[in-house]
């Protein structure tokens, strides 16, 4: 039985995450203490007690999710769970997956997560955008809707996350996005939900953040992955350091091809997935992608 470890991205955070492990395991306490020291503030307090508004701020949210996922990974490994045949991470969860694959140290991954959050926040202030979830339309139709809205408006909107069949998130310029929403509703979308966010993640509005993040990636030591990691941008394995750098540089402006990534894992014989991080969003997506795949949520002992 082949298993893949999946690491969640933004939106999975919750106040209290990691606290139980911190109280039970000395290795996890050391990890959170290291994060606090590296960042120069108490990330652990933010994870354990909030406030929620500060934890949800992308600048804090990304390092908090990375640290909590790494703490949960340590606990999984300590319990002799079956090692993964593959790893994958959704959006910023890709940094967690890279650390799990041995490509990235915890300290360097934490610094990149913090920098990624800072740059995305700055890009959102420079070029505010919008995001919306579209339900019950296929990816080809949503892609056509975005292309038509972009052409009509002269600005850009595109698929940000192809999460699972019937759940696609679009992102980009506000006017173009609202035009795409109207077109999606006319095309038969069952529901469209505007997300309460002004950062147009995974769209061209992140270009300035992407360029600066590429500099941070270029200055970060990376190793060839010990476990195959499936990239968001390509939905294929990242086998070399050069491929990892190219993936991270492109990721902020490119779509997250999650449905294709999960279908690739299934085609490679993965029969079980374990979500390592707060929440169970990725397990819910896998249920929509392929019900035959067993879904496991790690619970601390």
């Amino acid at each position: 039985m082949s298993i893949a470890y999946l690491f969640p991205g933004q939106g999975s955070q919750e106040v209290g995450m990691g606290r139980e492990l911190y109280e039970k395991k000395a290795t996890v306490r050391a990890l959170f203490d290291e994060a606090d020291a590296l960042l120069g503030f108490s990330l652990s307090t933010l994870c354990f007690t909030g406030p929620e508004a500060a934890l949800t701020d992308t600048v804090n949210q990304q390092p908090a999710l990375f640290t909590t996922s790494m703490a949960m990974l340590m606990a999984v490994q300590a319990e002799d769970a079956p090692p993964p045949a593959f790893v994958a991470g959704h959006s910023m969860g890709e940094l967690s997956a890279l650390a799990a694959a041995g490509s990235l140290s915890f300290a360097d991954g934490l610094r990149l997560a913090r920098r990624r959050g800072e740059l995305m926040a700055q890009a959102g202030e420079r070029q505010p955008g919008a995001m919306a979830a579209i339900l019950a339309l296929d990816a080809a139709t949503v892609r056509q809707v975005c292309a038509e809205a972009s052409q009509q408006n002269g600005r850009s909107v595109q698929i940000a996350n192809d999460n699972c069949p019937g759940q696609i998130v679009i992102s980009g310029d506000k006017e173009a996005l609202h035009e795409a929403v109207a077109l999606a509703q006319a095309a038969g979308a069952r529901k469209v939900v505007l997300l309460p966010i002004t950062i147009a993640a995974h769209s061209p509005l992140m270009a300035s953040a992407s360029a600066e993040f590429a500099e941070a990636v270029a200055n970060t030591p990376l190793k060839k992955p010990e476990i195959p990691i499936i990239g968001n941008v390509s939905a294929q394995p990242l086998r070399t350091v050069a491929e990892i750098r190219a993936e991270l540089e492109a990721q902020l402006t490119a779509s997250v091809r999650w449905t294709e990534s999960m279908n690739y894992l299934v085609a490679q014989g993965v029969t079980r997935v374990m979500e390592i991080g707060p929440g169970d969003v990725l397990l819910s997506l896998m249920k929509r992608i392929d019900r035959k795949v067993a879904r496991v949520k790690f619970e601390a002992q």
Side-chain angles (χ1 to χ4, degrees):
M1 183 180 290
S2 181
I3 187 169
Y5 288 0
L6 308 180
F7 297 87
Q10 293 185 85
S12 291
Q13 75 286 339
E14 57 185 3
V15 173
M17 63 184 190
R19 179 164 54 187
E20 186 179 355
L21 283 176
Y22 183 91
E23 292 170 349
K24 287 182 175 180
K25 298 183 181 294
T27 53
V28 170
R29 284 197 296 276
L31 189 79
F32 272 101
D33 290 347
E34 181 183 354
D36 291 350
L38 283 168
L39 294 176
F41 70 95
S42 185
L43 182 75
S44 56
T45 299
L46 199 55
C47 290
F48 304 158
T49 62
E52 185 175 3
L55 180 62
T56 303
D57 186 331
T58 189
V59 172
N60 299 321
Q61 187 184 58
Q62 298 197 37
L65 283 166
F66 176 80
T67 302
T68 303
S69 292
M70 289 299 95
M72 290 185 176
L73 177 64
M74 290 177 71
V76 167
Q77 292 169 335
E79 293 181 13
D80 294 323
F86 295 90
V87 295
H90 190 284
S91 191
M92 72 77 42
E94 196 161 63
L95 294 177
S96 306
L98 284 167
S103 293
L104 188 61
S105 72
F106 172 74
D108 287 328
L110 181 65
R111 292 187 190 98
L112 279 181
R114 177 71 168 179
R115 188 64 178 143
R116 189 179 187 273
E118 290 171 345
L119 292 171
M120 288 180 69
Q122 291 167 14
E125 289 171 2
R126 283 192 294 262
Q127 288 186 288
M131 300 181 74
I134 297 177
L135 305 184
L137 279 187
D138 62 81
T141 302
V142 176
R143 197 170 291 111
Q144 179 58 38
V145 158
C146 288
E148 188 175 337
S150 297
Q151 187 172 24
Q152 287 181 9
N153 192 273
R155 298 183 181 182
S156 179
V157 60
Q158 68 179 37
I159 291 177
N161 307 327
D162 180 357
N163 285 330
C164 67
Q167 187 192 116
I168 295 173
V169 177
I170 62 173
S171 177
D173 173 80
K174 287 181 182 179
E175 291 182 19
L177 183 131
H178 284 291
E179 179 65 29
V181 163
L183 291 169
Q185 290 169 328
R190 188 177 77 230
K191 188 176 182 180
V192 176
V193 181
L194 292 172
L195 304 183
I197 189 170
T198 59
I199 296 175
H202 302 289
S203 84
L205 270 64
M206 286 289 111
S208 62
S210 184
E212 292 184 65
F213 190 59
E215 292 182 25
V217 170
N219 293 323
T220 299
L222 293 171
K223 296 178 182 177
K224 183 179 177 180
E226 299 164 6
I227 304 164
I229 173 172
I230 310 306
N232 286 185
V233 176
S234 65
Q236 294 290 316
L238 306 173
R239 303 185 188 279
T240 67
V241 168
E243 288 176 353
I244 292 168
R245 291 195 194 281
E247 164 79 16
L248 291 175
E249 289 168 10
Q251 195 214 48
L252 291 181
T253 56
S255 303
V256 175
R257 296 166 62 184
W258 194 252
T259 301
E260 292 172 80
S261 296
M262 295 303 98
N263 283 330
Y264 178 89
L265 292 180
V266 173
Q268 302 308 305
V270 169
T271 56
R272 186 162 46 137
V273 294
M274 178 184 288
E275 185 163 0
I276 301 179
D280 59 1
V281 169
L282 301 182
L283 299 185
S284 297
L285 297 182
M286 180 55 89
K287 184 178 181 180
R288 297 282 302 275
I289 294 166
D290 193 324
R291 285 179 173 269
K292 296 188 296 294
V293 176
R295 301 175 301 279
V296 180
K297 179 61 187 176
F298 169 70
E299 300 292 346
Q301 301 298 316

